[in-house]
Amino acid sequence: MAELVPIPGVMIERLAALDLDVDRILAKVGLSRAHLAPPRTRLTTAEFFALWDAIEEASGARDLGLRLGAGALPHKYDVASMAALHAATLGEALEKLAKYKRLVCPEEVFVEIEKGEARVGFHWWLAEGEPPRLLVDGTFAAVLALARRGTQKNITPVRVELARRRMDAALLARHFNCEIRFDAPVDRLVLPEAALAEPFVTHNADLLALLLPGLDSELAQEGRRRSLADDVRLALCRRMCGERPSVDKVAKDLRMSPRTLQRRLGEAGTSYQRLLDDVRYQSARRLLARTDLEAGEVAFLLGFEELNSFARAFQGWEGMTPARYRRLAAAPQP
């Protein structure tokens, strides 16, 4: 897994074209243009998130993330997006994006097919906080733009699910032309499963034959470096949607038996319960701080059988009730 996030020069160029003071934005997060010049054109996840926050503050444009994501040019794509653009179908494109994105930056893209829907989400491995709003909007706008560019059709999502309070609903609905669902457990772009069969007019088998062997070799090396605990955390994050995240279900996701999973986690110095508690804790903090979901709804999404169990667990994690944590998170920062 790549540990740093590449910053394409075109991103800085587009910010300047919008008459934003790029130097001031960079200075706000302790960076300068020298940081973005070769050979250092990559940022840590924390620096990358801070940069997006600074861009939002400087621009004041609520749709900037959408515009930046939708306006990405094919010749500026990273290798994962390039492989996706030249796939045979939209479904294959999303598979390639999910498979190779981790080679580009510490971000995991996942696609879940269920009940006639293709649900696209992402997870930042090294993030200590939540992805900035503009980055989430831009990511989904970029995925949809890739789908439309490849198929040359106006692919329309079923809905967009956002783990945030209701804001900019009309703006988002105009861009995505679908239902925007707020206070969701995770951020997801939901496409109709039938759209996955749409052929890509940009399909290029010869280019893929040149590109994929090298990417697969890198992926094999990355797989040897990645820990089982990382894979379990991701599987748990994907299941934090109102079901009890049992070890049996997670083991099935990882194609191993529950006993093998427990044994290997023990050998790595951790346990399934410890990872479950950690993911629940981080998810609870995010949902309480960023959404208007009631504490009982948060408890349900995290797989607790009753509110009291969640309240006791949260008290142990944070030393305060969920309600107090939400009030403090909503208070203006000095």
Side-chain angles (χ1 to χ4, degrees):
M1 175 181 66
E3 295 185 356
L4 297 175
V5 185
I7 305 298
V10 68
M11 177 179 176
I12 302 303
E13 294 170 9
R14 294 185 66 195
L15 292 176
L18 294 170
D19 293 326
L20 296 180
D21 189 335
V22 174
D23 292 316
R24 185 176 179 181
I25 291 172
L26 294 175
K28 190 171 181 62
V29 293
L31 300 172
S32 68
R33 289 182 187 261
H35 288 94
L36 305 184
R40 191 184 189 279
T41 56
R42 292 173 177 264
L43 304 178
T44 65
T45 300
E47 289 172 333
F48 185 60
F49 283 12
L51 176 61
W52 275 98
D53 285 334
I55 290 170
E56 178 174 9
E57 181 179 336
S59 70
R62 307 294 294 177
D63 67 341
L64 183 58
L66 298 173
R67 285 190 281 152
L68 290 174
L73 301 173
H75 66 281
K76 299 291 186 179
Y77 278 175
D78 56 47
V79 291
S81 299
M82 186 66 69
L85 182 65
H86 296 295
T89 65
L90 174 56
E92 184 182 311
L94 293 177
E95 288 177 3
K96 284 179 167 43
L97 191 65
K99 183 177 182 179
Y100 298 118
K101 189 65 174 182
R102 71 186 70 164
L103 298 178
V104 179
C105 63
E107 179 188 20
E108 181 94 16
V109 177
F110 54 88
V111 183
E112 298 172 330
I113 310 299
E114 188 174 349
K115 298 179 180 178
E117 298 177 344
R119 302 166 184 172
V120 184
F122 59 91
H123 174 72
W124 287 86
W125 285 103
L126 305 179
E128 295 183 0
E130 292 305 308
R133 180 187 64 84
L134 288 188
L135 177 57
V136 174
D137 294 351
T139 299
F140 288 157
V143 171
L144 185 59
L146 186 149
R148 290 172 172 174
R149 185 170 287 126
T151 61
Q152 293 295 295
K153 292 184 177 180
N154 187 30
I155 301 293
T156 301
V158 176
R159 65 184 175 279
V160 176
E161 300 176 1
L162 298 171
R164 70 176 77 147
R165 295 180 175 89
R166 185 179 183 84
M167 62 176 71
D168 305 322
L171 182 154
L172 292 165
R174 282 195 303 271
H175 183 88
F176 291 105
N177 194 30
C178 67
E179 174 194 0
I180 309 298
R181 185 174 298 176
F182 297 94
D183 291 330
V186 294
D187 298 308
R188 291 193 297 197
L189 172 69
V190 183
L191 301 170
E193 182 181 3
L196 301 183
E198 291 287 350
F200 264 29
V201 299
T202 52
H203 176 48
N204 188 328
D206 292 336
L207 187 148
L208 291 178
L210 293 173
L211 182 65
L212 297 189
L215 296 182
D216 287 334
S217 176
E218 286 188 56
L219 200 62
Q221 295 179 32
E222 186 272 338
R224 288 191 288 271
R225 295 191 297 266
R226 184 160 146 178
S227 73
L228 176 61
D230 289 336
D231 289 334
V232 172
R233 285 193 182 92
L234 178 60
L236 286 168
C237 286
R238 293 166 65 172
R239 287 191 171 275
M240 287 296 165
C241 296
E243 65 172 274
R244 186 171 179 80
S246 70
V247 65
D248 290 355
K249 292 178 180 178
V250 171
K252 184 177 180 181
D253 289 344
L254 300 180
R255 295 179 174 83
M256 63 180 70
S257 70
R259 178 174 295 182
T260 298
L261 176 60
Q262 296 274 34
R263 175 179 56 79
R264 289 183 56 189
L265 288 174
E267 292 170 351
T270 187
S271 68
Y272 176 80
Q273 189 60 48
R274 187 180 304 171
L275 295 174
L276 174 59
D277 287 344
D278 182 56
V279 171
R280 277 176 159 170
Y281 172 41
Q282 298 301 331
S283 298
R285 293 177 63 194
R286 171 175 55 82
L287 293 172
L288 289 170
R290 295 181 56 136
T291 75
D292 287 324
L293 292 168
E294 298 291 338
E297 294 174 301
V298 173
F300 168 75
L301 291 173
L302 301 186
F304 286 93
E305 293 184 353
E306 55 183 29
L307 175 58
N308 286 342
S309 298
F310 168 59
R312 284 195 299 271
F314 196 84
Q315 184 79 37
W317 294 328
E318 277 289 333
M320 66 180 76
T321 65
R324 178 169 171 74
Y325 179 85
R326 170 167 276 167
R327 286 196 300 271
L328 292 176
Q333 299 299 311

